Amino acid sequence: MRAPVFVLDPAAPFGVVSDIDDTVMVTALPRPLLAAWNTFVLNEHARTPTPGMAVLYDRIRDAHPAAPFLYLSTGAWNVAPTLGRFLGRNLYPPGPLLLTDWGPTPERVFRSGREHKIEELERLAEEFPDVRWLLIGDDGQHDEETYSGFAQRHPENVAAICIRQLSTSEAVLAGGRSRSEWRERTTEADWTYAPDGGGFADALKANGIL
């Protein structure tokens, strides 16, 4: 069996951790149905890329050629090939997928997506203590809370935080927006809110990442 292996350049001081659903692809599904859709139905042609995000990621890669791109999602491993094809077809930079397992745990019927993201971020901080990460997510789940907690615990590992603002219809399907207190910028990290990649680009240029 053959599998690709990603080796992080030890000279890379900067990297990107990106959510997938509602961040680089438009989900447009009620949140309770998302896991089942991702697992049993998902086809890479059935989703559309978020406007401007692939261009933004390409500009980040041009500015930081050695920077790794990691895609952190609550999706299950069995959809990894489909997600990989989606990212490639829409010209997102290649990078490892950090997914989770489908199925129950001893404590609950469904695994906790937020706990999965927290654990993966902690692993990155432990294994790559000198890398500062640009964290990109959306305001439809727990990304603000997750990234805020990580930035408080590991401020030296956070370059900036970008949160995509869902449209009204997307927020309804996602079950609402994250709680407003996470917008109080409870960390020292640079926070940017924008509906698409173009809005992020202006802010990242201002803070020196682009």
Side-chain angles (χ1 to χ4, degrees), residues 1 32 80 91 99 105 107 133 138 174 182 194-195 199 201:
M1 178 181 293
L91 304 180
L99 306 178
T105 70
E107 293 81 23
W133 300 97
D138 63 79
W182 301 113

mmCIF file of all heavy atoms in Angstrom, residues 1 32 80 91 99 105 107 133 138 174 182 194-195 199 201:
data_model
loop_
_atom_site.group_PDB
_atom_site.id
_atom_site.type_symbol
_atom_site.label_atom_id
_atom_site.label_comp_id
_atom_site.label_asym_id
_atom_site.label_seq_id
_atom_site.Cartn_x
_atom_site.Cartn_y
_atom_site.Cartn_z
ATOM 1 N N MET A 1 0.841 -1.186 0.000
ATOM 2 C CA MET A 1 0.000 0.000 0.000
ATOM 3 C C MET A 1 0.883 1.245 0.000
ATOM 4 O O MET A 1 1.893 1.313 0.714
ATOM 5 C CB MET A 1 -0.911 -0.003 1.231
ATOM 6 C CG MET A 1 -1.804 1.236 1.330
ATOM 7 S SD MET A 1 -2.849 1.217 2.801
ATOM 8 C CE MET A 1 -3.905 -0.184 2.388
ATOM 9 N N PRO A 32 -27.705 19.319 11.483
ATOM 10 C CA PRO A 32 -27.939 17.917 11.866
ATOM 11 C C PRO A 32 -27.766 16.931 10.720
ATOM 12 O O PRO A 32 -27.521 15.757 10.939
ATOM 13 C CB PRO A 32 -29.393 17.924 12.368
ATOM 14 C CG PRO A 32 -29.637 19.330 12.805
ATOM 15 C CD PRO A 32 -28.866 20.171 11.819
ATOM 16 N N ALA A 80 -12.154 11.419 3.170
ATOM 17 C CA ALA A 80 -10.886 12.078 2.851
ATOM 18 C C ALA A 80 -10.620 12.134 1.346
ATOM 19 O O ALA A 80 -10.212 13.191 0.829
ATOM 20 C CB ALA A 80 -9.739 11.401 3.583
ATOM 21 N N LEU A 91 -8.329 24.280 -6.641
ATOM 22 C CA LEU A 91 -7.014 24.934 -6.599
ATOM 23 C C LEU A 91 -6.626 25.433 -5.217
ATOM 24 O O LEU A 91 -5.895 26.425 -5.090
ATOM 25 C CB LEU A 91 -6.953 26.081 -7.620
ATOM 26 C CG LEU A 91 -7.273 25.693 -9.078
ATOM 27 C CD1 LEU A 91 -7.172 26.908 -9.980
ATOM 28 C CD2 LEU A 91 -6.348 24.585 -9.556
ATOM 29 N N LEU A 99 -8.864 14.781 10.105
ATOM 30 C CA LEU A 99 -10.273 14.414 10.224
ATOM 31 C C LEU A 99 -10.485 13.573 11.481
ATOM 32 O O LEU A 99 -9.569 13.374 12.275
ATOM 33 C CB LEU A 99 -10.716 13.659 8.969
ATOM 34 C CG LEU A 99 -10.451 14.381 7.638
ATOM 35 C CD1 LEU A 99 -10.892 13.514 6.463
ATOM 36 C CD2 LEU A 99 -11.145 15.734 7.595
ATOM 37 N N THR A 105 -18.763 6.843 20.776
ATOM 38 C CA THR A 105 -17.699 6.676 21.764
ATOM 39 C C THR A 105 -18.343 6.089 23.018
ATOM 40 O O THR A 105 -19.571 6.003 23.126
ATOM 41 C CB THR A 105 -17.039 8.019 22.098
ATOM 42 O OG1 THR A 105 -17.981 8.816 22.849
ATOM 43 C CG2 THR A 105 -16.634 8.770 20.839
ATOM 44 N N GLU A 107 -18.797 7.480 25.692
ATOM 45 C CA GLU A 107 -19.539 8.522 26.408
ATOM 46 C C GLU A 107 -20.728 9.076 25.632
ATOM 47 O O GLU A 107 -21.641 9.640 26.212
ATOM 48 C CB GLU A 107 -18.605 9.693 26.765
ATOM 49 C CG GLU A 107 -17.527 9.354 27.781
ATOM 50 C CD GLU A 107 -16.345 8.654 27.149
ATOM 51 O OE1 GLU A 107 -16.162 8.824 25.925
ATOM 52 O OE2 GLU A 107 -15.634 7.929 27.874
ATOM 53 N N TRP A 133 0.697 29.719 13.812
ATOM 54 C CA TRP A 133 -0.356 29.297 12.901
ATOM 55 C C TRP A 133 -1.352 30.416 12.640
ATOM 56 O O TRP A 133 -1.764 31.125 13.564
ATOM 57 C CB TRP A 133 -1.104 28.087 13.470
ATOM 58 C CG TRP A 133 -0.239 26.901 13.710
ATOM 59 C CD1 TRP A 133 0.336 26.525 14.892
ATOM 60 C CD2 TRP A 133 0.187 25.936 12.733
ATOM 61 N NE1 TRP A 133 1.082 25.380 14.713
ATOM 62 C CE2 TRP A 133 1.010 25.001 13.399
ATOM 63 C CE3 TRP A 133 -0.062 25.776 11.372
ATOM 64 C CZ2 TRP A 133 1.585 23.911 12.749
ATOM 65 C CZ3 TRP A 133 0.509 24.695 10.721
ATOM 66 C CH2 TRP A 133 1.324 23.775 11.406
ATOM 67 N N ASP A 138 -15.031 29.620 10.797
ATOM 68 C CA ASP A 138 -16.250 30.378 10.532
ATOM 69 C C ASP A 138 -17.019 30.562 11.823
ATOM 70 O O ASP A 138 -16.691 29.960 12.853
ATOM 71 C CB ASP A 138 -17.113 29.666 9.475
ATOM 72 C CG ASP A 138 -17.599 28.312 9.945
ATOM 73 O OD1 ASP A 138 -18.573 28.267 10.717
ATOM 74 O OD2 ASP A 138 -16.996 27.282 9.552
ATOM 75 N N ALA A 174 -26.840 26.471 9.722
ATOM 76 C CA ALA A 174 -25.802 26.013 10.653
ATOM 77 C C ALA A 174 -26.302 25.957 12.082
ATOM 78 O O ALA A 174 -25.592 25.496 12.969
ATOM 79 C CB ALA A 174 -24.588 26.926 10.564
ATOM 80 N N TRP A 182 -17.247 35.731 22.023
ATOM 81 C CA TRP A 182 -15.969 35.400 21.397
ATOM 82 C C TRP A 182 -15.532 36.513 20.454
ATOM 83 O O TRP A 182 -14.393 36.542 20.013
ATOM 84 C CB TRP A 182 -16.074 34.072 20.669
ATOM 85 C CG TRP A 182 -16.457 32.984 21.611
ATOM 86 C CD1 TRP A 182 -17.622 32.279 21.631
ATOM 87 C CD2 TRP A 182 -15.719 32.514 22.739
ATOM 88 N NE1 TRP A 182 -17.643 31.404 22.692
ATOM 89 C CE2 TRP A 182 -16.483 31.531 23.376
ATOM 90 C CE3 TRP A 182 -14.463 32.845 23.266
ATOM 91 C CZ2 TRP A 182 -16.053 30.866 24.521
ATOM 92 C CZ3 TRP A 182 -14.036 32.181 24.404
ATOM 93 C CH2 TRP A 182 -14.825 31.207 25.009
ATOM 94 N N ALA A 194 -14.685 38.458 8.168
ATOM 95 C CA ALA A 194 -15.004 38.834 6.790
ATOM 96 C C ALA A 194 -15.879 37.744 6.178
ATOM 97 O O ALA A 194 -15.814 36.581 6.599
ATOM 98 C CB ALA A 194 -13.737 39.018 5.957
ATOM 99 N N PRO A 195 -16.686 38.078 5.165
ATOM 100 C CA PRO A 195 -17.550 37.070 4.545
ATOM 101 C C PRO A 195 -16.867 36.240 3.471
ATOM 102 O O PRO A 195 -17.409 35.232 3.028
ATOM 103 C CB PRO A 195 -18.677 37.910 3.935
ATOM 104 C CG PRO A 195 -18.012 39.210 3.611
ATOM 105 C CD PRO A 195 -17.006 39.435 4.691
ATOM 106 N N GLY A 199 -12.034 39.954 1.849
ATOM 107 C CA GLY A 199 -12.023 40.705 3.097
ATOM 108 C C GLY A 199 -10.853 40.322 3.989
ATOM 109 O O GLY A 199 -10.245 41.185 4.635
ATOM 110 N N ALA A 201 -7.963 39.205 2.914
ATOM 111 C CA ALA A 201 -6.711 39.614 2.279
ATOM 112 C C ALA A 201 -6.293 41.010 2.726
ATOM 113 O O ALA A 201 -5.110 41.253 2.997
ATOM 114 C CB ALA A 201 -6.848 39.562 0.753
#
